[in-house]
Amino acid sequence: MSGTRLDVAKVRADFPILQQEVRGRPLVYLDSAASAQKPQAVIDAISHFYTHDNANVHRGVHFLSERSTAAFEAAREKVARFLHAKDSKEIVFVRGTTEAINLVVSSFGRKNIGAGDEVLITGLEHHANIVPWQMLCEQVGAKLNSIPVDAHGDLALERLDELLTPRTRILAVTHVSNALGTVVPVKELIRRAHAKGIPVLVDGAQAVTHFPVDVVDLDCDFYAFSGHKLFGPMGIGVLYGKKDRLESMPPYQGGGDMILSVTLEKTIYNRVPYRFEAGTPDVAGAVGLGAAIDYLRQVGQEAIAAHDRELLAYAEETLGRVPGLRILGQGRERSGLVSFVMEDIHPHDIGTILDREGVAVRTGHHCAQPLMQCFGVAATVRASMALYNMREDVDALVRGLHKVREVFG
């Protein structure tokens, strides 16, 4: 299945949840940007871990603990290879993208950002890459700046050099917008930021699902993503950090397994990545994430990327013919989703009627309210696609939208 053409029918058969009906109609799942569905291989891997290997990691000398630890660290190795990281020690397991960003804010940020300093983000960001930086800036007296978004949904890169000032301590940028699908030229941003000695964090939650990511080639300092958007379980995520960056950062949380020794007078912290993994980790989640990565490699990431491009083009063309529908964001490069509004019909009403037709989409501000304000809307309808979607899903969406027009006259 790893050729240039994706066998979508075969892929769909691997996802048991897609075989059901919703409200008497076949399920059409177009909400993968919120959370992707899980292949049977991931479900089986989690079940096998709890059935055969369950024990706490790193601390026990008994057989199950050793096997659980081996499974946990094998998952870390898989993530490192998936991102093309130089060393598995650059992979920190967290609960998701949000916690990964908060870790960088709390550890790197509190050490390196102070009064009068600046943090640079973009107008495309998810709230998870806005709010933590706002909180830090308010606490230490720093300033939060933003790269504007143009009418097409692209970043106004002509403003970048002026916004990367001598006081900028970090650039935090999404790889793919969760609200518009805009693919940000992060490699260029990283190059230009590094030319001024500024480190870069990339929110990759919406990117890793759709195309290969090479953190060494990008040269980013930090890269974050969530397992549940990558066909893995909820509650597990990854922070990649260059080893020297991580080694220079203080722990994010205190407790078990992030220490080497503790006395009442002093604690000696563990080496990376363990100093950032306090407490019992989500071992089953890591195992499930590793299984999801194995599955994606089996299917073929290049084939997935080609399928994504083809399906997105079909969706844009087909939706563009729906009377009164306006697609938001027509950036130079896009991936994975279409965000739109329909005349005076509220997105929540559209989503409700589509649900009656068995079509699952996301409606609302998509945790990107500043971006919604940029386009002069409060909310949109977002149809997000994955490797298991096909043209027939888009056709079902369009039929549902015609039903919406019938209801609202």
Side-chain angles (χ1 to χ4, degrees), residues 141-402:
K143 181 181 179 182
L144 185 66
N145 294 325
S146 176
I147 305 171
V149 178
D150 66 22
H152 300 289
D154 285 319
L155 293 180
L157 293 183
E158 67 275 7
R159 296 283 310 281
L160 181 61
D161 286 336
E162 69 178 89
L163 290 168
L164 291 171
T165 77
R167 301 299 301 179
T168 305
R169 295 295 175 255
I170 191 167
L171 167 63
V173 57
T174 187
H175 201 162
V176 175
S177 165
N178 76 301
L180 299 181
T182 300
V183 179
V184 175
V186 292
K187 188 173 181 178
E188 178 187 350
L189 268 68
I190 292 165
R191 177 184 59 80
R192 291 169 66 176
H194 282 179
K196 296 188 175 186
I198 299 167
V200 182
L201 175 147
V202 179
D203 171 357
Q206 299 294 338
V208 290
T209 301
H210 296 288
F211 50 80
V213 171
D214 185 330
V215 293
V216 174
D217 180 62
L218 292 178
D219 198 28
C220 56
D221 299 88
F222 305 101
Y223 198 96
F225 72 89
S226 299
H228 71 99
K229 298 182 191 295
L230 194 69
F231 315 103
M234 295 180 177
I236 189 73
V238 168
L239 173 67
Y240 157 83
K242 287 182 177 178
K243 194 175 178 184
D244 59 342
R245 288 286 183 199
L246 294 177
E247 288 177 339
S248 71
M249 291 160 50
Y252 169 50
Q253 296 174 320
D257 223 35
M258 50 74 66
I259 58 91
L260 287 178
S261 68
V262 177
T263 68
L264 293 179
E265 291 74 33
K266 183 177 177 59
T267 295
I268 299 174
Y269 303 127
N270 208 341
R271 64 190 187 280
V272 299
Y274 308 112
R275 74 169 61 167
F276 300 110
E277 295 178 352
T280 297
D282 183 359
V283 183
V287 169
L289 176 56
I293 289 172
D294 287 341
Y295 179 80
L296 288 177
R297 288 190 176 278
Q298 175 193 347
V299 173
Q301 286 183 275
E302 296 295 344
I304 293 170
H307 175 68
D308 177 78
R309 291 190 295 270
E310 179 183 312
L311 191 59
L312 180 60
Y314 180 74
E316 289 182 325
E317 177 188 356
T318 309
L319 288 168
R321 294 197 295 265
V322 176
L325 185 145
R326 178 168 65 97
I327 296 175
L328 275 70
Q330 298 288 320
R332 287 183 291 271
E333 185 180 356
R334 300 178 59 241
S335 179
L337 64 90
V338 181
S339 196
F340 60 89
V341 293
M342 287 182 69
E343 293 179 333
D344 296 327
I345 307 173
H346 196 284
H348 294 331
D349 293 328
I350 297 172
T352 300
I353 294 173
L354 289 175
D355 178 60
R356 294 174 187 167
E357 302 298 311
V359 180
V361 295
R362 181 67 45 158
T363 65
H365 54 63
H366 316 299
C367 294
Q369 286 181 294
L371 183 58
M372 296 293 105
Q373 293 162 8
C374 177
F375 279 86
V377 299
T380 72
V381 180
R382 184 184 70 188
S384 54
M385 295 154 280
L387 74 170
Y388 40 63
N389 289 118
M390 49 190 177
R391 289 189 173 204
E392 289 81 355
D393 293 334
V394 176
D395 295 339
L397 170 63
V398 170
R399 288 195 300 272
L401 292 173
H402 284 298

